[in-house]
């Protein structure tokens, strides 16, 4: 009854850790959450106000299938200001999150058996998108000694006549790594279409993130409002694509989704345009920056240091191979015994097995308590 492509979708294990944590909480446990990849902040007030005004003003209808022209123009302005990229509103398609934008892209470009090159480890859901659209994920290994930097030469070595795209993500989930300008430029020049998931842009604590559109106009940038603007539940993202591809994305979007939510798009316009919102976003970034340093220090003290500390997103992928070879069982054990929820490395690929991903999108107090619990728990294992 279930089609093979649906049966083959693997579970998103971090969600299973979260659901078990919620079950323990219903039984009265006080769980520290460092597993979920979502900002703990409320959405900036000016975004909420703008969406509420839009609702009151009757902005409750379908919008253009590619999204509000005003918002698409603001996104073009943002990419121009931040990266010097020149893109037109006709290249931008607004979707209900970055996730549907990625779905549109794989659906539009992949023929059965086409290959997509991506990093191992990578965002847990990527391989499922590729397989669901009939494609084949082809992995390039990255590791902590190399700071999880994707090497253009290693990607080049995986290119075959079936390669349709290279999927990159910087700053990255689960490693927090930011790809440097030289590598981005080299990847842009390899030949296949580069699809660049830029959802963690704006969350960088040292150095600078780069958009693929700085190096080529023949690429797809995916982005959204979930992370930088603390808008996960609003569901809004977008793809910026070369014109011909944008039209293909638009047609799929028209048929499958019609348009993104109208009042949510008005909220997002304020997120990009209101100075008050910029201030709120910068405050969140500075808070993550403090938490990052604190978490790094606590991990160091536990002898769980990371050779190249991550500089973006809000994750740290930490080597626990001394303590476990099965990260999924270990994550559940840590949850049940210490009431500390983290993401098992295996969710993100075989190279992250034996690792745990810690999210610092939670308060300093929670991080401190989480690290105290971890310290006590590890002492019981020695
Ligand atoms: C790398 C990456 N891409 C995409 C998404 C999905 O984002 P959205 O909420 O915009 O669908 C996530 C969410 O965790 C992510 O980590």
């Amino acid at each position: 009854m279930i089609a093979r492509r649906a049966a083959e979708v693997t579970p998103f294990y971090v969600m299973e850790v979260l659901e078990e944590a919620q079950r323990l909480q219903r039984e009265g446990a006080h769980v520290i959450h460092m597993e979920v990849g979502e900002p703990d902040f409320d959405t900036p007030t000016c975004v909420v106000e703008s969406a509420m005004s839009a609702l009151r003003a009757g902005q409750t209808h379908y919008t253009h299938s590619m999204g509000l022209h005003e918002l698409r123009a603001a996104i073009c302005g943002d990419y121009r200001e931040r990266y010097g990229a020149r893109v037109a509103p006709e290249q931008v398609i607004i979707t209900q999150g970055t996730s549907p934008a990625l779905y549109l892209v794989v659906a539009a470009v992949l023929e059965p058996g086409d290959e997509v090159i991506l990093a191992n480890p990578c965002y847990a859901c990527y391989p499922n998108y590729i397989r669901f659209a009939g494609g084949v994920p082809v992995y390039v290994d990255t590791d902590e000694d190399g700071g999880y930097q994707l090497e253009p030469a290693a990607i080049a070595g995986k290119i075959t006549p079936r390669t349709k795209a290279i999927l990159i993500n910087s700053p990255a989930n689960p490693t927090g790594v930011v790809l440097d300008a030289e590598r981005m430029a080299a990847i842009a020049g390899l030949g296949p279409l580069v699809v660049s998931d830029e959802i963690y842009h704006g969350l960088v604590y040292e150095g600078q993130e780069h958009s693929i559109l700085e190096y080529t106009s023949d690429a797809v940038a995916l982005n959204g409002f979930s992370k930088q603007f603390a808008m996960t539940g609003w569901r809004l993202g977008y793809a910026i694509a070369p014109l011909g591809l944008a039209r293909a994305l638009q047609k799929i979007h028209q048929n499958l989704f019609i348009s993104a939510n109208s009042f949510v798009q008005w909220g997002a316009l304020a997120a990009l345009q209101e100075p008050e919102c910029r201030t709120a976003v910068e405050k969140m970034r500075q808070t993550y920056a403090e938490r990052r340093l604190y978490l790094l220090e606590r991990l160091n003290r536990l002898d769980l240091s990371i050779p190249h500390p991550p500089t973006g997103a809000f994750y740290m992928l930490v080597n626990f191979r001394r303590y476990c070879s099965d990260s999924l069982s270990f994550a559940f054990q840590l949850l049940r015994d210490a009431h500390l929820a983290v993401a098992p490395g295996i969710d993100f690929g075989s190279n992250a097995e034996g690792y745990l991903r810690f999210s610092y999108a939670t308060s300093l107090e929670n991080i401190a308590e989480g690290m105290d619990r971890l310290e006590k728990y590890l002492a019981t294992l020695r």
Side-chain angles (χ1 to χ4, degrees):
M1 184 206 192
I2 308 280
R4 208 178 73 192
R5 73 173 171 279
E8 283 175 355
V9 173
T10 51
F12 194 3
Y13 290 116
V14 66
M15 298 312 291
E16 308 211 337
V17 172
L18 173 64
E19 284 155 23
E20 175 63 5
Q22 288 166 339
R23 192 190 64 76
L24 290 170
Q25 281 172 312
R26 282 196 299 276
E27 287 177 358
H30 172 221
V31 176
I32 297 292
H33 290 276
M34 298 186 77
E35 80 283 38
V36 272
E38 77 169 330
D40 56 322
F41 301 105
D42 290 332
T43 301
T45 312
C46 56
V47 177
V48 176
E49 292 301 333
S50 171
M52 304 238 287
S53 313
L55 273 173
R56 287 198 196 94
Q59 299 290 353
T60 54
H61 303 273
Y62 294 137
T63 66
H64 188 289
S65 61
M66 296 183 85
L68 289 177
H69 190 273
E70 292 86 336
L71 180 57
R72 288 187 284 137
I75 288 167
C76 295
D78 195 47
Y79 262 73
R80 185 161 181 175
E81 186 190 321
R82 284 194 205 208
Y83 312 112
R86 285 172 184 272
V87 284
E90 294 70 35
Q91 293 176 255
V92 181
I93 174 147
I94 315 266
T95 53
Q96 286 172 319
T98 309
S99 309
L102 176 56
Y103 177 73
L104 294 181
V105 173
V106 291
V109 305
L110 295 183
E111 302 284 0
D114 278 350
E115 296 171 358
V116 178
I117 299 176
L118 70 171
N120 175 5
C122 65
Y123 174 48
C125 306
Y126 287 157
N128 282 318
Y129 278 94
I130 295 165
R131 287 191 291 256
F132 201 75
V136 179
V138 172
Y139 297 102
V140 171
D141 291 327
T142 67
D143 62 25
E144 65 176 353
D145 292 332
Y148 297 107
Q149 286 283 347
L150 253 180
E151 292 303 339
I155 298 177
K158 299 276 180 170
I159 294 175
T160 73
R162 294 307 312 251
T163 305
K164 215 28 158 336
I166 301 166
L167 176 54
I168 61 172
N169 173 218
S170 166
N173 179 3
T175 60
V177 66
V178 179
L179 270 175
D180 61 39
E182 292 70 30
R183 288 184 176 90
M184 287 280 275
I187 293 168
L190 286 174
L193 178 75
V194 181
V195 179
S196 174
D197 181 348
E198 305 184 348
I199 188 163
Y200 291 101
H201 276 218
L203 298 176
V204 172
Y205 316 106
E206 282 176 36
Q208 175 77 50
E209 71 274 45
H210 293 279
S211 169
I212 195 67
L213 299 176
E214 292 172 46
Y215 309 102
T216 173
S217 52
D218 201 15
V220 178
L222 303 174
N223 206 332
F225 294 84
S226 288
K227 313 287 177 171
Q228 188 188 9
F229 298 100
M231 290 173 64
T232 43
W234 293 65
R235 310 307 305 129
L236 205 70
Y238 53 91
I240 305 176
L243 271 183
L245 178 55
R247 174 66 182 149
L249 303 183
Q250 179 189 12
K251 285 191 294 173
I252 304 172
H253 196 243
Q254 285 172 339
N255 281 275
L256 270 58
F257 306 109
I258 302 185
S259 76
N261 311 310
S262 53
F263 55 93
V264 167
Q265 294 186 57
W266 287 104
L269 186 59
L272 290 180
Q273 289 187 331
E274 296 290 328
E276 194 189 319
C277 187
R278 286 191 180 211
T279 311
V281 162
E282 177 53 17
K283 224 171 130 191
M284 290 191 274
R285 195 193 65 83
Q286 283 172 10
T287 309
Y288 290 129
E290 276 172 43
R291 295 168 175 179
R292 169 181 169 268
L293 292 178
Y294 177 72
L295 179 57
L296 276 173
E297 187 217 305
R298 290 295 306 258
L299 290 169
N300 277 341
R301 274 201 254 152
L302 289 173
D303 206 15
L304 290 167
S305 55
I306 304 173
H308 299 270
T311 54
F314 36 61
Y315 306 112
M316 292 191 192
L317 189 64
V318 184
N319 190 338
F320 275 76
R321 286 187 173 161
R322 229 176 320 153
Y323 297 101
C324 74
S325 53
D326 176 349
S327 58
L328 186 60
S329 314
F330 193 80
F332 274 103
Q333 220 174 291
L334 192 58
L335 175 60
R336 287 183 192 134
D337 297 348
H339 294 165
L340 172 61
V342 298
I346 190 61
D347 228 359
F348 310 101
S350 56
N351 285 345
E353 181 52 304
Y355 286 65
L356 298 177
R357 188 196 70 178
F358 290 74
S359 160
Y360 51 93
T362 188
S363 68
L364 268 182
E365 294 70 31
N366 282 341
I367 297 172
E369 174 63 23
M371 290 301 106
D372 289 348
R373 291 183 188 191
L374 181 64
E375 188 167 2
K376 280 196 202 122
Y377 183 69
L378 295 181
T380 67
L381 302 181
R382 285 199 194 105

